[in-house]
Amino acid sequence: MTWHISIPMTADDVLKEIRGNQVAFQDCFTADIFFLLTFSLLTIPEIPGFLPVSSPQGSQLMADWAACVPSFVVVVSDMETFQTNDSFRTWTRIRVPPNILTDDERHSVSDVTLSQDGIFFLINGILYFKNYNAFKGLGSNVNLPDGGIIGITSRKWCWINYLLKDKGRRSSMAIWTENEVYLGYALLKFVKIITTEKLKELLNMSSAATLTIHNVEYTGHPLELALLLNYCITCNIIKTIYLVIYNEDTEQWVFQDFALDVTTDTFLIPNFIYSAMPELILWDKHRIYYYYHNFTDTGVLQTPTEFGNLSRLSHNSTIHDVFMDYYGNIVVKMENNVMFYFKINIKDAVKLHLWTNSTIKSLISLNTSGKMYLIHVFENGTIYPQEYPLKLEAQSLAFKTKEKCPYMAFHNDIFRVFYLLDKGQNLSVWAQIVYPENIGLYIIVESYGPKILEEKNQVHYEIASGYCTKTMTVTFSQNINYEAVDDYFKLQYQNTGLLLVHVRPSEHAKTCPVSQKVFQISVGCDDNKFIAVKGFDKKECLQHDFFYIIEKSYLRDRPSKHLRVKYNWEKYGCPLRVDFREKFHPVVQLYNDSGYVEDVEVNFIVWEIHGRDDYSFNNTMKKSGCLHEAQTWKSMTELNKRLPLEEAWGPENYKHCFSYAIGKPGDLNQPYEIINKSNHNHLVWPLDHSGMYVFRVKILDPNYSFCNLTTIFAIETFGVIPSPSAYMVAAFLFLLMLLFFSILVLSYFHYLRIYREYIYEPLHKSERKQKNN
């Protein structure tokens, strides 16, 4: 049977998991399986005339892959360098232009790292960079040393989402010399973070001691980096390896409870486990060292014979590589392709069946389903991937040794690896373990990070038919009141951060399917969260910018000139036309990247961003229930004169007016300028003129969100018959009177002319005629 499933994809989708219910369907079960869901990454094309770049002759394979796209791999052999974006179903050769490296340098690659910018090669202590367009050496031109680099590394575990308190950057690679450590960022940005001299001061070490950097590796934590340090006084026979962990967000160095004495010629390679706690394994040429449960459970990985010396069980071969996956499987590969198997929190290993000829160069990697496969490189310069059924091989060995998992099933409802909690939000998860009666297993919940969450556990226990079922519900919560505190921003900073949690059974075995569940809880601001005022959009109006004038008498600062404002449609959206007699109550709504979340119930404030104050509120302080004078824009701007208007009043200095203990009685007939969904406080418009208002909204409640939630909306009032100007009325009356008197004068002369022509002159003509007669 085949299922076709359509899955919507977002930018942070990478690894998905299909989980099967424990119900048989036609005598079959649906197995849990991971699959990669990501955009295709392009490999660097091979250019004719370019020359091979490789490791020294006879070297073992080395590889690196993108932590969140394991199918994107680069492999360096002693003949060629290969790159793939589909787990070597197809691949290209990575070659470099001639005349940049000598023949000896081209065959001296000692390390390789893959990043979003390209491929980094370490050759004779110098870092080289290859991308689609160029191949060049990196040194003082990018703030790196021009030589002496002894190692480079990149992240091994995928964390798409994480919280940065200080809004900085997270590195993608680390570079180190014997005495310095550098972090690499996108676009070839490099920063030196520490020197051994500075570490001596931080760790209070003797100035006479020798301290050098042994190795560097990223931990399972999304923001941490670990340094292995060589420490010795005489440095003749024995040296001590110490470990410090650096947090990129807090920039703090923490010395760990770790010390290992080895000979001066020993070189150890660390690999941190996919776990919440800083757990790791180390290996030299012959044995594996384990450090479980935050360095409290340590030792050498044991084998049935030879006391953990893997070389003696593999024809004196040495350890080539150690592979880990997200399920807790660990495979140790020797140079002659003999492999050993164990799981995290397990202290012994078993030898796997021989799978590959000892003369073939091979390496272990992850495919697009998050499962192990082998990469073979042949003498003719070709590369071949081969699936490796690790689960079947482990079950085959367990069948022979009669080893069984102590529990029957381990379930949980943790379907995500990243949870983000805002103020007032809680997280509840459950885990369940089923085991045979009288064994006494239980569930362990451990966290690593700042103590910013309260944890409550509730356990439900059942027993039936010889099997016990324990179900644990864990609730993570926060109970901090941010209102009227001395330093609001400091308290917020102290109670935000990133917490790693893992849930695991109390006992493990190599035959158990999954050893633990790891997830992240971040407490802080969700950058995808925003607010908007209901009823506003950018589609229902003519989309264009325009200018309008605000009279100086309507502005808060009473300037000497009118203000000419450009209405930015892209920023303000469509203005809502409101009749001047209609009150307006803004309803604020919360959204995230998934869409609408809720109507905001808490207090918020509004102000006109261009300085208008010719509007008011219909509620008074007394009507709103205030027992003393409430905060207003006038009082808050007078109190914070040095701050801009938008920073004068906010959740950091909000105090309510509903207590006799705070504030003074004052005049409670003033407008109450705080709005929420239920207080029916409305904006009231002036009755003698209309206008354009652009308001900004800010959430005022200090216990609502870590985010500074603001938005903009615009109101255009209409319906007012504008009153004429006094100057215009006087001018109109003057013109009207002038016209009236002009008509009177013209009428006088007009009638005078008629009188003379038709009355006065004919009358005098007749009198003169009579005299003449």
Side-chain angles (χ1 to χ4, degrees), residues 362-622:
S362 64
L363 194 71
I364 304 172
S365 187
L366 283 171
N367 63 14
T368 54
S369 297
K371 292 188 175 181
M372 171 180 165
Y373 75 103
L374 297 173
I375 301 170
H376 301 298
V377 177
F378 299 104
E379 295 293 336
N380 60 1
T382 60
I383 197 164
Y384 172 72
Q386 183 185 27
E387 292 187 6
Y388 184 80
L390 177 61
K391 185 176 181 180
L392 293 177
E393 289 291 297
Q395 289 176 344
S396 176
L397 292 173
F399 179 78
K400 291 181 179 180
T401 59
K402 307 300 182 182
E403 183 179 3
K404 292 184 179 180
C405 183
Y407 53 86
M408 306 297 296
F410 179 63
H411 303 300
N412 59 78
D413 70 338
I414 306 167
F415 297 105
R416 298 165 58 187
V417 295
F418 178 79
Y419 295 90
L420 182 57
L421 299 185
D422 208 337
K423 291 177 182 176
Q425 294 182 336
N426 301 330
L427 173 65
S428 292
V429 298
W430 62 261
Q432 183 182 82
I433 187 170
V434 182
Y435 57 92
E437 190 178 0
N438 298 325
I439 292 184
L441 299 184
Y442 53 95
I443 298 170
I444 298 175
V445 179
E446 295 176 307
S447 61
Y448 175 73
K451 306 300 181 183
I452 54 178
L453 290 176
E454 297 179 2
E455 180 183 327
K456 292 183 179 180
N457 300 336
Q458 184 177 1
V459 179
H460 179 71
Y461 179 79
E462 293 181 357
I463 183 170
S465 303
Y467 290 94
C468 301
T469 301
K470 283 184 181 176
T471 304
M472 174 184 283
T473 301
V474 186
T475 301
F476 298 93
S477 62
Q478 45 187 325
N479 187 26
I480 305 293
N481 185 8
Y482 295 91
E483 186 173 339
V485 296
D486 293 334
D487 194 331
Y488 172 82
F489 295 110
K490 181 180 179 181
L491 186 63
Q492 276 201 146
Y493 186 86
Q494 292 173 344
N495 288 281
T496 56
L498 186 155
L499 194 71
L500 285 183
V501 181
H502 68 217
V503 182
R504 61 180 177 88
S506 58
E507 293 185 17
H508 307 272
K510 291 186 286 293
T511 53
C512 296
V514 179
S515 297
Q516 62 191 19
K517 187 68 178 181
V518 181
F519 62 99
Q520 177 190 157
I521 305 176
S522 291
V523 180
C525 173
D526 182 358
D527 291 334
N528 295 316
K529 184 179 291 186
F530 63 95
I531 58 172
V533 178
K534 185 179 180 180
F536 290 81
D537 57 34
K538 294 184 178 181
K539 299 178 181 178
E540 297 183 357
C541 64
L542 181 61
Q543 302 175 6
H544 71 289
D545 296 346
F546 57 89
F547 291 90
Y548 62 94
I549 301 297
I550 302 177
E551 289 192 27
K552 58 185 179 182
S553 60
Y554 305 153
L555 295 171
R556 179 178 286 106
D557 297 330
R558 301 297 185 264
S560 58
K561 296 181 180 179
H562 300 321
L563 180 64
R564 186 171 184 260
V565 176
K566 179 182 179 181
Y567 188 91
N568 189 324
W569 174 85
E570 187 65 30
K571 290 175 61 177
Y572 307 152
C574 294
L576 182 67
R577 288 178 55 80
V578 175
D579 189 283
F580 76 103
R581 294 163 295 188
E582 181 183 346
K583 302 172 184 177
F584 180 74
H585 179 76
V587 176
V588 179
Q589 297 179 323
L590 180 68
Y591 293 83
N592 60 19
D593 54 354
S594 299
Y596 169 82
V597 177
E598 63 181 7
D599 284 359
V600 176
E601 303 278 351
V602 300
N603 291 338
F604 60 90
I605 49 176
V606 300
W607 70 95
E608 213 283 334
I609 66 173
H610 298 120
R612 298 189 74 143
D613 65 350
D614 57 331
Y615 61 91
S616 187
F617 301 84
N618 69 312
N619 277 4
T620 63
M621 298 177 187
K622 184 176 182 180

Side-chain angles (χ1 to χ4, degrees), residues 236-494:
N236 294 326
I237 301 173
I238 298 297
K239 64 182 179 182
T240 302
I241 305 295
Y242 290 122
L243 188 144
V244 292
I245 290 181
Y246 173 70
N247 188 293
E248 292 190 50
D249 191 28
T250 62
E251 298 184 351
Q252 292 181 339
W253 294 89
V254 179
F255 188 70
Q256 303 298 314
D257 186 15
F258 176 100
L260 178 63
D261 292 331
V262 296
T263 58
T264 54
D265 60 346
T266 299
F267 182 71
L268 296 170
I269 301 175
N271 205 333
F272 280 82
I273 295 169
Y274 182 65
S275 168
M277 311 300 289
E279 302 176 301
L280 77 155
I281 60 172
L282 293 163
W283 66 92
D284 54 22
K285 292 182 178 181
H286 311 292
R287 61 187 57 82
I288 304 287
Y289 303 87
Y290 60 83
Y291 290 83
Y292 297 145
H293 311 318
N294 199 16
F295 308 105
T296 60
D297 189 0
T298 67
V300 176
L301 187 72
Q302 295 299 302
T303 54
T305 61
E306 308 300 341
F307 305 103
N309 191 321
L310 302 183
S311 295
R312 294 178 183 175
L313 296 176
S314 56
H315 309 290
N316 293 321
S317 183
T318 57
I319 298 174
H320 171 212
D321 194 21
V322 176
F323 167 84
M324 297 182 184
D325 67 8
Y326 290 90
Y327 295 99
N329 298 304
I330 304 176
V331 177
V332 182
K333 180 194 165 298
M334 311 300 286
E335 290 188 356
N336 64 355
N337 296 325
V338 172
M339 294 188 293
F340 297 88
Y341 171 75
F342 65 108
K343 300 195 76 158
I344 61 173
N345 300 313
I346 302 299
K347 303 174 184 179
D348 63 285
V350 294
K351 188 177 180 180
L352 293 169
H353 298 112
L354 190 62
W355 191 266
T356 305
N357 189 297
S358 62
T359 60
I360 298 176
K361 299 287 181 66
S362 64
L363 194 71
I364 304 172
S365 187
L366 283 171
N367 63 14
T368 54
S369 297
K371 292 188 175 181
M372 171 180 165
Y373 75 103
L374 297 173
I375 301 170
H376 301 298
V377 177
F378 299 104
E379 295 293 336
N380 60 1
T382 60
I383 197 164
Y384 172 72
Q386 183 185 27
E387 292 187 6
Y388 184 80
L390 177 61
K391 185 176 181 180
L392 293 177
E393 289 291 297
Q395 289 176 344
S396 176
L397 292 173
F399 179 78
K400 291 181 179 180
T401 59
K402 307 300 182 182
E403 183 179 3
K404 292 184 179 180
C405 183
Y407 53 86
M408 306 297 296
F410 179 63
H411 303 300
N412 59 78
D413 70 338
I414 306 167
F415 297 105
R416 298 165 58 187
V417 295
F418 178 79
Y419 295 90
L420 182 57
L421 299 185
D422 208 337
K423 291 177 182 176
Q425 294 182 336
N426 301 330
L427 173 65
S428 292
V429 298
W430 62 261
Q432 183 182 82
I433 187 170
V434 182
Y435 57 92
E437 190 178 0
N438 298 325
I439 292 184
L441 299 184
Y442 53 95
I443 298 170
I444 298 175
V445 179
E446 295 176 307
S447 61
Y448 175 73
K451 306 300 181 183
I452 54 178
L453 290 176
E454 297 179 2
E455 180 183 327
K456 292 183 179 180
N457 300 336
Q458 184 177 1
V459 179
H460 179 71
Y461 179 79
E462 293 181 357
I463 183 170
S465 303
Y467 290 94
C468 301
T469 301
K470 283 184 181 176
T471 304
M472 174 184 283
T473 301
V474 186
T475 301
F476 298 93
S477 62
Q478 45 187 325
N479 187 26
I480 305 293
N481 185 8
Y482 295 91
E483 186 173 339
V485 296
D486 293 334
D487 194 331
Y488 172 82
F489 295 110
K490 181 180 179 181
L491 186 63
Q492 276 201 146
Y493 186 86
Q494 292 173 344

Side-chain angles (χ1 to χ4, degrees), residues 45-96:
E46 181 179 342
I47 300 177
F50 279 23
L51 302 175
V53 59
S54 67
S55 58
Q57 187 65 34
S59 301
Q60 293 292 319
L61 300 181
M62 65 182 76
D64 192 41
W65 58 81
C68 293
V69 190
S71 60
F72 194 58
V73 190
V74 59
V75 172
V76 179
S77 73
D78 59 359
M79 295 175 291
E80 294 273 3
T81 296
F82 307 91
Q83 188 182 19
T84 181
N85 59 6
D86 55 9
S87 299
F88 284 103
R89 291 188 181 92
T90 62
W91 44 270
T92 60
R93 292 182 178 88
I94 301 300
R95 296 191 167 189
V96 298

